[in-house]
Amino acid sequence: MEDTKEQELGNDGELQELLSSLPKERNWEGSTLLLYKGFWYPLFAFKALISFQKHFHAHDKDIIVASMPKSGTTWLISLVYMIINRSLYAFKLNECPLLTSNPHDLIPFLELNLYLKNQRPDLEAIPDPRTFTTHTPYSSLPTSIIDSNCKIVYVCRNPMDQFISYWRFLLKIKPITDDQTSLEKAFEMHYKGIHSFGPFCNHVLEYWKASQENPDKVLFLKYEELKEDIIGCTKKLAEFLGFPFSKDEEEQGIVEEITRICSFENLKNLDVNKNGKRPSGAPNDAFFRKGEVGDWSNHLTPSMAERMINLLQEKLKGSGLSFDLSCKVQKKA
């Protein structure tokens, strides 16, 4: 698959020249990563990324949901979809699209779906507010997104849970016999920032700083905050998107109904999310594992955790951004 994709990219002389100039690394599970403007991108999606950057034209009413992989993206796009479309379905379970469609079909990825299928997808016919998902770093977003009045919602997750979730996600796609060896290799690469859309701290800090500089355009959410206060976060999200809940809606329990429909447990148990694959090849069920906070403590050694915490303190110092990593590591026998 990798060789075929690289051959396809070679059909474009300009892109092939760019590809040949970029540093390459093999990820721990064998896929190729490219270093482009300070971030590592999966080779299979690189052509789509460049097309997205060149050809995407933002509308002022667009909504962009951004994140690092495995940071709560599927949960967030489900919430966004139901918030902006809640008047269409009256919250009748037999009418809710989330029962019959994977959330990523309702709010598709730009570089991992739309531009992966077609270098110049026709997105103009999509009614406003057009809503898309991306893992692209803030500094590499098309200028039309940055310069428009569109809304960007960014969700992040504490880096150790994010790492474990992504490690497990890739194992689901490419099973490896020795999980412990793969964990050690994956951790070393993640620690060095060599992973899809990494380094983690750079990615998170770019969106964090953008949210501080322009809070009306960029909303920064933490996965842990969503878990702790999903009702409050859902109201905050709706307000930011321009779809606030009315007093009557709140009294009718609409917010609670949205959070129930979009809950991890509900989505995970739907047939549509147990079968099928994404355009990238990832099985739908790989997007629903545990959804827990602190699961990293069941996998990382104390030494690994200490190194990651020290790295975070160094990289995030003075930014105002922090993560609660107080969960105690469970020592392995």
Side-chain angles (χ1 to χ4, degrees):
M1 176 179 170
E2 293 273 349
D3 293 338
T4 302
K5 287 294 180 184
E6 191 152 12
Q7 186 175 8
E8 290 175 359
L9 292 173
N11 294 333
D12 184 325
E14 181 182 346
L15 187 58
Q16 180 59 30
E17 184 177 351
L18 173 61
L19 274 170
S20 64
S21 70
L22 297 177
K24 295 181 176 65
E25 288 280 357
R26 282 283 177 181
N27 203 359
W28 61 270
E29 96 295 359
S31 64
T32 301
L33 299 173
L34 304 174
L35 183 62
Y36 176 65
K37 295 185 177 180
F39 288 90
W40 292 96
Y41 296 90
L43 173 61
F44 81 91
F46 190 73
K47 184 176 183 179
L49 168 73
I50 298 301
S51 297
F52 165 46
Q53 289 179 326
K54 287 184 176 181
H55 304 306
F56 182 79
H57 298 288
H59 293 180
D60 284 339
K61 293 184 179 180
D62 283 351
I63 297 170
I64 309 295
V65 178
S67 68
M68 283 289 293
K70 306 308 295 174
S71 295
T73 317
T74 307
W75 188 13
L76 183 58
I77 63 174
S78 301
L79 288 168
V80 169
Y81 182 85
M82 290 306 298
I83 286 170
I84 65 177
N85 292 290
R86 63 183 185 268
S87 63
L88 301 178
Y89 308 112
F91 303 98
K92 295 178 181 178
L93 288 179
N94 61 348
E95 296 179 7
C96 177
L98 285 176
L99 288 178
T100 54
S101 299
N102 181 274
H104 292 287
D105 290 326
L106 300 175
I107 299 183
F109 268 102
L110 287 157
E111 73 278 12
L112 299 180
N113 186 331
L114 298 174
Y115 286 88
L116 190 66
K117 295 177 179 177
N118 184 347
Q119 276 193 276
R120 300 288 292 270
D122 182 8
L123 308 178
E124 294 303 312
I126 300 175
D128 291 332
R130 304 185 308 176
T131 313
F132 307 105
T133 315
T134 186
H135 287 324
T136 300
Y138 186 82
S139 59
S140 290
L141 292 175
T143 55
S144 67
I145 290 179
I146 305 301
D147 295 339
S148 72
N149 291 321
C150 74
K151 300 282 190 177
I152 299 174
V153 183
Y154 184 79
V155 62
C156 73
R157 191 177 189 181
N158 88 68
M160 294 199 280
D161 274 337
Q162 185 271 335
F163 162 67
I164 289 299
S165 183
Y166 197 54
W167 171 64
R168 283 294 187 189
F169 177 79
L170 291 183
L171 282 179
K172 183 84 172 180
I173 299 173
K174 297 183 177 181
I176 295 175
T177 303
D178 192 341
D179 283 9
Q180 186 58 40
T181 300
S182 73
L183 174 62
E184 293 167 356
K185 291 180 179 178
F187 178 82
E188 286 301 319
M189 297 196 75
H190 195 276
Y191 179 81
K192 295 174 182 177
I194 306 173
H195 53 91
S196 291
F197 303 98
F200 174 92
C201 289
N202 297 24
H203 198 287
V204 171
L205 279 174
E206 284 194 352
Y207 280 97
W208 170 254
K209 291 176 180 177
S211 73
Q212 299 299 294
E213 294 168 0
N214 194 351
D216 292 332
K217 182 177 180 66
V218 183
L219 176 64
F220 191 97
L221 296 172
K222 290 182 180 179
Y223 182 86
E224 294 77 17
E225 292 172 346
L226 288 167
K227 292 285 285 189
E228 183 177 346
D229 182 16
I230 186 58
I231 299 298
C233 286
T234 301
K235 290 180 182 180
K236 181 179 181 180
L237 178 59
E239 186 76 30
F240 173 79
L241 295 175
F243 293 84
F245 293 101
S246 67
K247 183 178 179 180
D248 285 345
E249 285 180 313
E250 291 193 32
E251 291 177 350
Q252 293 168 15
I254 299 301
V255 183
E256 287 80 1
E257 183 68 358
I258 283 181
T259 60
R260 184 190 66 79
I261 291 173
C262 300
S263 69
F264 180 88
E265 293 76 14
N266 186 57
L267 295 177
K268 181 178 182 177
N269 290 320
L270 296 176
D271 287 341
V272 67
N273 296 324
K274 294 179 179 179
N275 304 289
K277 293 184 178 182
R278 312 309 310 141
S280 62
N284 283 335
D285 64 357
F287 291 88
F288 302 91
R289 191 176 70 90
K290 282 188 175 182
E292 296 177 354
V293 173
D295 185 48
W296 62 266
S297 66
N298 297 312
H299 301 277
L300 299 184
T301 65
S303 175
M304 288 176 173
E306 183 179 4
R307 289 177 64 194
M308 186 63 75
I309 289 171
N310 290 339
L311 179 67
L312 284 173
Q313 290 175 340
E314 174 190 342
K315 297 294 185 180
L316 303 182
K317 184 177 180 180
S319 68
L321 176 63
S322 63
F323 294 93
D324 182 4
L325 299 173
S326 59
C327 181
K328 293 182 179 180
V329 179
Q330 298 177 12
K331 294 183 179 180
K332 300 177 177 63

